[in-house]
Amino acid sequence: MFIIETVCVAWFSLEFLLRFVQAPSKLEFLRGPLNIIDAMAILPYYVSLVVSEDDPSLEHEKPGGGKGYLDKLGLVLRILRALRILYVMRLARHSLGLQTLGLTVRRSTREFGLLLLFLCVAVTLFSPLVHLAESELTGTHDFSSIPASYWWAIISMTTVGYGDMVPRSIPGQVVALSSILSGILIMAFPATSIFHMFSRSYQELKMEHDRLFKEECAAAAAAAAAASGELQEAGGVEGGENLAPPGLGLRLDKDSVHSLESLSLLGKGGDAAGNNNHNLPPAAF
């Protein structure tokens, strides 16, 4: 696995450096979200090479049981190694679906903000109600405080329902039903707008990819045509001594053949006429 990771990181590093060198604006390149993700995915490998987790000095502890600075450094190193999962985000450069998802999230920030606002308002409303219905009226200890009831309200309104906190009383169940229904409505409000934004972003990116593909094909065809034109010009210059167009020699040969045949026929005719003149009697004249 180390060899495979080394080869992959070397390839990613080479690609990153080449794109950085060819970038017209280095600052804009470093500000790009995908470039930041690439750097965060590559750097942990080099950090792990510099600082090894198996180093015995990382197991040093201070007297009194507290962890030392090197232990914290080892924890940071393990966190950086966990960031290698960001390699998956590199697929966004070659996946139309992931690009569409990122563009939709960027364009739908207002809709997502409204969704979070509605969700926070509803959680703030239903958490005290369920705490009042369960802890104050029935005396159960599942909903010990209002902040603890926030967790129950979030997982109920998002229809996750882990089941770790369940209302037992009738008033608590009524509050739970109200929170679930309101959560479904709140989640459904911006869904249509986000879906239309996703569809429009997908169509735009697809048209852009098709346009770039056509431009690349046209450029390749133009380059091939230019190369063939240069070859034809070079062939014309080399064969410039023969100014006759193609096929002219063949036509001349045919004409000469016909003329030779006519001459031969005339010659035979003349001979035949001469022979006939000699054969005629003198009285014919």
Side-chain angles (χ1 to χ4, degrees):
M1 292 299 295
F2 178 77
I3 297 176
I4 296 176
E5 183 182 6
T6 302
V7 173
C8 294
V9 171
W11 178 262
F12 294 155
S13 302
L14 179 62
E15 179 192 9
F16 186 82
L17 289 176
L18 290 178
R19 288 191 290 110
F20 178 76
V21 170
Q22 294 181 354
S25 176
K26 304 298 187 292
L27 185 59
E28 293 295 331
F29 178 83
L30 295 177
R31 288 180 178 178
L34 293 178
N35 298 326
I36 294 175
I37 292 174
D38 291 345
M40 293 177 63
I42 295 172
L43 286 178
Y45 174 80
Y46 296 104
V47 175
S48 63
L49 290 180
V50 175
V51 182
S52 178
E53 187 179 0
D54 298 331
D55 192 354
S57 61
L58 295 178
E59 299 179 358
H60 172 72
E61 293 186 0
K62 290 182 178 180
K67 291 186 177 181
Y69 173 76
L70 294 179
D71 290 328
K72 296 180 180 179
L73 182 61
L75 177 62
V76 173
L77 179 61
R78 287 190 289 270
I79 294 174
L80 289 176
R81 285 184 175 180
L83 291 178
R84 289 180 293 184
I85 195 64
L86 294 176
Y87 287 143
V88 181
M89 299 300 295
R90 293 180 57 86
L91 295 175
R93 295 185 180 275
H94 312 286
S95 175
L96 181 61
L98 292 177
Q99 292 178 4
T100 306
L101 180 60
L103 184 60
T104 303
V105 172
R106 188 176 63 182
R107 290 181 175 180
S108 302
T109 53
R110 181 176 300 177
E111 286 78 6
F112 284 112
L114 291 175
L115 177 61
L116 292 177
L117 178 62
F118 295 156
L119 188 62
C120 291
V121 171
V123 166
T124 307
L125 176 64
F126 288 107
S127 296
L129 292 178
V130 72
H131 174 70
L132 177 63
E134 290 295 315
S135 298
E136 300 296 335
L137 298 180
T138 60
T140 57
H141 300 285
D142 290 340
F143 301 88
S144 58
S145 63
I146 293 178
S149 301
Y150 283 173
W151 171 249
W152 171 85
I154 292 173
I155 62 176
S156 298
M157 296 187 67
T158 55
T159 66
V160 177
Y162 286 122
D164 52 349
M165 300 174 66
V166 180
R168 307 291 181 180
S169 62
I170 299 298
Q173 293 176 357
V174 172
V175 175
L177 178 62
S178 303
S179 66
I180 293 171
L181 293 177
S182 62
I184 293 174
L185 294 175
I186 290 174
M187 298 293 290
F189 280 153
T192 304
S193 177
I194 295 174
F195 171 75
H196 286 299
M197 185 63 68
F198 181 86
S199 178
R200 186 169 60 187
S201 301
Y202 178 78
Q203 293 296 331
E204 291 179 0
L205 288 177
K206 187 176 181 180
M207 293 175 61
E208 183 68 19
H209 284 196
D210 293 341
R211 185 183 63 82
L212 292 177
F213 179 74
K214 291 180 180 179
E215 289 181 355
E216 291 177 358
C217 292
S228 62
E230 291 177 358
L231 290 177
Q232 291 179 358
E233 290 179 358
V237 171
E238 292 178 356
E241 296 178 356
N242 186 10
L243 300 178
L248 183 58
L250 183 60
R251 290 196 299 270
L252 291 175
D253 293 336
K254 289 182 179 179
D255 295 338
S256 61
V257 168
H258 287 297
S259 62
L260 290 175
E261 290 178 354
S262 60
L263 289 174
S264 63
L265 290 175
L266 290 173
K268 289 180 181 179
D271 294 336
N275 293 331
N276 291 332
N277 291 331
H278 290 290
N279 293 328
L280 289 174
F285 296 95

